[in-house]
PDB file of all heavy atoms in Angstrom:
ATOM      1  N   VAL A 152     125.699  67.071  74.505  1.00 97.00           N
ATOM      2  CA  VAL A 152     126.968  66.278  74.531  1.00 97.00           C
ATOM      3  C   VAL A 152     128.115  67.033  73.903  1.00 97.00           C
ATOM      4  O   VAL A 152     129.238  66.606  74.020  1.00 97.00           O
ATOM      5  CB  VAL A 152     126.800  64.903  73.851  1.00 97.00           C
ATOM      6  CG1 VAL A 152     125.754  64.061  74.517  1.00 97.00           C
ATOM      7  CG2 VAL A 152     126.565  65.078  72.360  1.00 97.00           C
ATOM      8  N   VAL A 153     127.855  68.143  73.215  1.00 98.00           N
ATOM      9  CA  VAL A 153     128.950  68.877  72.593  1.00 98.00           C
ATOM     10  C   VAL A 153     129.702  69.690  73.600  1.00 98.00           C
ATOM     11  O   VAL A 153     129.145  70.557  74.235  1.00 98.00           O
ATOM     12  CB  VAL A 153     128.444  69.806  71.428  1.00 98.00           C
ATOM     13  CG1 VAL A 153     129.636  70.506  70.777  1.00 98.00           C
ATOM     14  CG2 VAL A 153     127.657  69.002  70.422  1.00 98.00           C
ATOM     15  N   LYS A 154     131.039  69.377  73.760  1.00 96.00           N
ATOM     16  CA  LYS A 154     131.836  70.190  74.686  1.00 96.00           C
ATOM     17  C   LYS A 154     132.634  71.272  73.896  1.00 96.00           C
ATOM     18  O   LYS A 154     132.667  72.402  74.281  1.00 96.00           O
ATOM     19  CB  LYS A 154     132.853  69.317  75.398  1.00 96.00           C
ATOM     20  CG  LYS A 154     132.230  68.377  76.393  1.00 96.00           C
ATOM     21  CD  LYS A 154     133.317  67.861  77.413  1.00 96.00           C
ATOM     22  CE  LYS A 154     132.779  66.901  78.433  1.00 96.00           C
ATOM     23  NZ  LYS A 154     132.563  65.569  77.880  1.00 96.00           N
ATOM     24  N   THR A 155     133.206  70.844  72.785  1.00 97.00           N
ATOM     25  CA  THR A 155     134.038  71.751  72.042  1.00 97.00           C
ATOM     26  C   THR A 155     133.516  71.753  70.607  1.00 97.00           C
ATOM     27  O   THR A 155     133.295  70.662  70.007  1.00 97.00           O
ATOM     28  CB  THR A 155     135.528  71.278  72.031  1.00 97.00           C
ATOM     29  OG1 THR A 155     135.905  71.118  73.380  1.00 97.00           O
ATOM     30  CG2 THR A 155     136.401  72.319  71.357  1.00 97.00           C
ATOM     31  N   GLY A 156     133.357  72.921  70.001  1.00 98.00           N
ATOM     32  CA  GLY A 156     132.866  72.972  68.662  1.00 98.00           C
ATOM     33  C   GLY A 156     132.898  74.389  68.141  1.00 98.00           C
ATOM     34  O   GLY A 156     133.184  75.324  68.842  1.00 98.00           O
ATOM     35  N   TYR A 157     132.625  74.471  66.814  1.00 98.00           N
ATOM     36  CA  TYR A 157     132.711  75.762  66.158  1.00 98.00           C
ATOM     37  C   TYR A 157     131.806  75.839  64.947  1.00 98.00           C
ATOM     38  O   TYR A 157     131.696  74.885  64.221  1.00 98.00           O
ATOM     39  CB  TYR A 157     134.165  76.087  65.740  1.00 98.00           C
ATOM     40  CG  TYR A 157     134.287  77.375  65.036  1.00 98.00           C
ATOM     41  CD1 TYR A 157     134.284  78.597  65.781  1.00 98.00           C
ATOM     42  CD2 TYR A 157     134.443  77.498  63.679  1.00 98.00           C
ATOM     43  CE1 TYR A 157     134.400  79.842  65.155  1.00 98.00           C
ATOM     44  CE2 TYR A 157     134.660  78.737  63.046  1.00 98.00           C
ATOM     45  CZ  TYR A 157     134.566  79.872  63.786  1.00 98.00           C
ATOM     46  OH  TYR A 157     134.712  81.083  63.190  1.00 98.00           O
ATOM     47  N   CYS A 158     131.144  76.958  64.841  1.00 98.00           N
ATOM     48  CA  CYS A 158     130.295  77.169  63.613  1.00 98.00           C
ATOM     49  C   CYS A 158     131.028  78.135  62.684  1.00 98.00           C
ATOM     50  O   CYS A 158     131.206  79.314  63.003  1.00 98.00           O
ATOM     51  CB  CYS A 158     128.994  77.848  64.082  1.00 98.00           C
ATOM     52  SG  CYS A 158     127.966  78.369  62.734  1.00 98.00           S
ATOM     53  N   PRO A 159     131.518  77.597  61.539  1.00 97.00           N
ATOM     54  CA  PRO A 159     132.142  78.511  60.611  1.00 97.00           C
ATOM     55  C   PRO A 159     131.161  79.599  60.144  1.00 97.00           C
ATOM     56  O   PRO A 159     130.086  79.302  59.761  1.00 97.00           O
ATOM     57  CB  PRO A 159     132.533  77.615  59.430  1.00 97.00           C
ATOM     58  CG  PRO A 159     132.608  76.241  60.008  1.00 97.00           C
ATOM     59  CD  PRO A 159     131.522  76.219  61.052  1.00 97.00           C
ATOM     60  N   ARG A 160     131.649  80.862  60.247  1.00 96.00           N
ATOM     61  CA  ARG A 160     130.757  82.015  59.879  1.00 96.00           C
ATOM     62  C   ARG A 160     130.670  82.079  58.385  1.00 96.00           C
ATOM     63  O   ARG A 160     129.576  82.393  57.810  1.00 96.00           O
ATOM     64  CB  ARG A 160     131.401  83.309  60.335  1.00 96.00           C
ATOM     65  CG  ARG A 160     131.229  83.726  61.807  1.00 96.00           C
ATOM     66  CD  ARG A 160     131.181  82.697  62.828  1.00 96.00           C
ATOM     67  NE  ARG A 160     131.379  83.219  64.209  1.00 96.00           N
ATOM     68  CZ  ARG A 160     131.419  82.462  65.257  1.00 96.00           C
ATOM     69  NH1 ARG A 160     131.243  81.133  65.148  1.00 96.00           N
ATOM     70  NH2 ARG A 160     131.546  82.972  66.474  1.00 96.00           N
ATOM     71  N   SER A 161     131.740  81.908  57.664  1.00 96.00           N
ATOM     72  CA  SER A 161     131.747  82.021  56.168  1.00 96.00           C
ATOM     73  C   SER A 161     131.138  80.808  55.519  1.00 96.00           C
ATOM     74  O   SER A 161     131.053  79.734  56.125  1.00 96.00           O
ATOM     75  CB  SER A 161     133.165  82.234  55.700  1.00 96.00           C
ATOM     76  OG  SER A 161     133.187  82.211  54.284  1.00 96.00           O
ATOM     77  N   GLN A 162     130.668  80.936  54.294  1.00 96.00           N
ATOM     78  CA  GLN A 162     130.193  79.792  53.502  1.00 96.00           C
ATOM     79  C   GLN A 162     131.305  79.387  52.532  1.00 96.00           C
ATOM     80  O   GLN A 162     131.102  78.429  51.853  1.00 96.00           O
ATOM     81  CB  GLN A 162     128.933  80.186  52.761  1.00 96.00           C
ATOM     82  CG  GLN A 162     127.850  80.643  53.702  1.00 96.00           C
ATOM     83  CD  GLN A 162     126.482  80.509  53.109  1.00 96.00           C
ATOM     84  OE1 GLN A 162     126.121  79.508  52.481  1.00 96.00           O
ATOM     85  NE2 GLN A 162     125.638  81.533  53.265  1.00 96.00           N
ATOM     86  N   ASN A 163     132.404  80.113  52.512  1.00 94.00           N
ATOM     87  CA  ASN A 163     133.506  79.827  51.617  1.00 94.00           C
ATOM     88  C   ASN A 163     134.522  78.926  52.354  1.00 94.00           C
ATOM     89  O   ASN A 163     134.944  79.241  53.409  1.00 94.00           O
ATOM     90  CB  ASN A 163     134.140  81.114  51.186  1.00 94.00           C
ATOM     91  CG  ASN A 163     135.416  80.941  50.403  1.00 94.00           C
ATOM     92  OD1 ASN A 163     136.516  80.643  50.974  1.00 94.00           O
ATOM     93  ND2 ASN A 163     135.356  80.974  49.107  1.00 94.00           N
ATOM     94  N   ALA A 164     134.901  77.805  51.709  1.00 94.00           N
ATOM     95  CA  ALA A 164     135.746  76.800  52.372  1.00 94.00           C
ATOM     96  C   ALA A 164     137.073  77.355  52.789  1.00 94.00           C
ATOM     97  O   ALA A 164     137.587  77.032  53.887  1.00 94.00           O
ATOM     98  CB  ALA A 164     135.908  75.552  51.547  1.00 94.00           C
ATOM     99  N   ASP A 165     137.702  78.192  51.923  1.00 91.00           N
ATOM    100  CA  ASP A 165     139.038  78.710  52.308  1.00 91.00           C
ATOM    101  C   ASP A 165     138.945  79.638  53.468  1.00 91.00           C
ATOM    102  O   ASP A 165     139.793  79.623  54.384  1.00 91.00           O
ATOM    103  CB  ASP A 165     139.673  79.381  51.103  1.00 91.00           C
ATOM    104  CG  ASP A 165     140.163  78.347  50.054  1.00 91.00           C
ATOM    105  OD1 ASP A 165     140.062  77.157  50.337  1.00 91.00           O
ATOM    106  OD2 ASP A 165     140.591  78.775  48.946  1.00 91.00           O
ATOM    107  N   GLU A 166     137.930  80.467  53.480  1.00 93.00           N
ATOM    108  CA  GLU A 166     137.669  81.400  54.645  1.00 93.00           C
ATOM    109  C   GLU A 166     137.342  80.577  55.910  1.00 93.00           C
ATOM    110  O   GLU A 166     137.809  80.922  57.038  1.00 93.00           O
ATOM    111  CB  GLU A 166     136.564  82.362  54.333  1.00 93.00           C
ATOM    112  CG  GLU A 166     136.965  83.449  53.287  1.00 93.00           C
ATOM    113  CD  GLU A 166     135.792  84.282  52.847  1.00 93.00           C
ATOM    114  OE1 GLU A 166     134.734  84.257  53.423  1.00 93.00           O
ATOM    115  OE2 GLU A 166     136.028  85.020  51.870  1.00 93.00           O
ATOM    116  N   GLN A 167     136.588  79.513  55.748  1.00 96.00           N
ATOM    117  CA  GLN A 167     136.311  78.646  56.871  1.00 96.00           C
ATOM    118  C   GLN A 167     137.542  78.046  57.461  1.00 96.00           C
ATOM    119  O   GLN A 167     137.746  77.942  58.677  1.00 96.00           O
ATOM    120  CB  GLN A 167     135.382  77.525  56.453  1.00 96.00           C
ATOM    121  CG  GLN A 167     133.934  78.005  56.062  1.00 96.00           C
ATOM    122  CD  GLN A 167     133.062  76.868  55.532  1.00 96.00           C
ATOM    123  OE1 GLN A 167     133.603  75.855  55.126  1.00 96.00           O
ATOM    124  NE2 GLN A 167     131.817  77.105  55.440  1.00 96.00           N
TER     125      GLN A 167
END
Side-chain angles (χ1 to χ4, degrees):
V152 299
V153 180
K154 288 200 182 77
T155 308
Y157 179 73
C158 170
R160 281 31 167 182
S161 175
Q162 302 202 44
N163 172 282
D165 288 352
E166 290 172 9
Q167 291 173 345

